[in-house]
Every structure is written in structure tokens, then in C-alpha cells.
């Protein structure tokens, strides 16, 4: 789901893979998404906390 037309809002509450250049970076739950689907927040288990991801970061977000 890296194309700009994808609606990240439908991923809230779902577990996704965060990938860059075809490689798995991490797996996390989508905690929230901006109304325009340009930014999402990922929540991780343990001590990893949260991560903000923008469309311009070059990640691919794949629902599991």
C-alpha cells in the first residue's frame, strides 16, 4: 500500500508489515491515521513504543 491513492484509514487497529526496498523492517499495529492518509502511527509491543510513518518516507505498508 505505498501508492498515494491508498486509504490507510482502513488499516487502523490492524497488524501490518512495514517494508522498505522489499525488506521487512518490522511488524506493528496501526494505532491511528490522519484523515488524508498521509501519516500513520504504528504501535509496537515491548519497549519499542510508537513510530510515525509518512507516505514520503519510502515505506510500503502491507496488512497481515
Amino acid at each position: 500500500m505505498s501508492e498515494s491513492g491508498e486509504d490507510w484509514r482502513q488499516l487502523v487497529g490492524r497488524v501490518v508489515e512495514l517494508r522498505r526496498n522489499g525488506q521487512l523492517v518490522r511488524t506493528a499495529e496501526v494505532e491511528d491515521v490522519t484523515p488524508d492518509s498521509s501519516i500513520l502511527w504504528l504501535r509496537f509491543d515491548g519497549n519499542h513504543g510508537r513510530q510515525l510513518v509518512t507516505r514520503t518516507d519510502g515505506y510500503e505498508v502491507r496488512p497481515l
Side-chain angles (χ1 to χ4, degrees):
M1 287 195 167
S2 58
E3 296 178 18
S4 60
E6 294 293 333
D7 185 359
W8 280 354
R9 293 175 299 166
Q10 51 188 290
L11 297 175
V12 173
R14 294 188 61 188
V15 176
V16 298
E17 288 181 342
L18 186 64
R19 295 181 164 267
R20 180 176 268 165
N21 300 320
Q23 299 294 315
L24 178 64
V25 175
R26 57 178 37 162
T27 302
E29 179 184 347
V30 177
E31 185 174 48
D32 205 0
V33 177
T34 57
D36 65 356
S37 292
S38 64
I39 299 171
L40 61 79
W41 287 266
L42 297 175
R43 177 181 24 220
F44 307 105
D45 292 330
N47 294 326
H48 293 96
R50 296 172 67 194
Q51 179 177 352
L52 181 140
V53 176
T54 69
R55 289 215 180 261
T56 59
D57 288 340
Y59 289 107
E60 179 180 1
V61 180
R62 292 186 185 175
L64 294 179

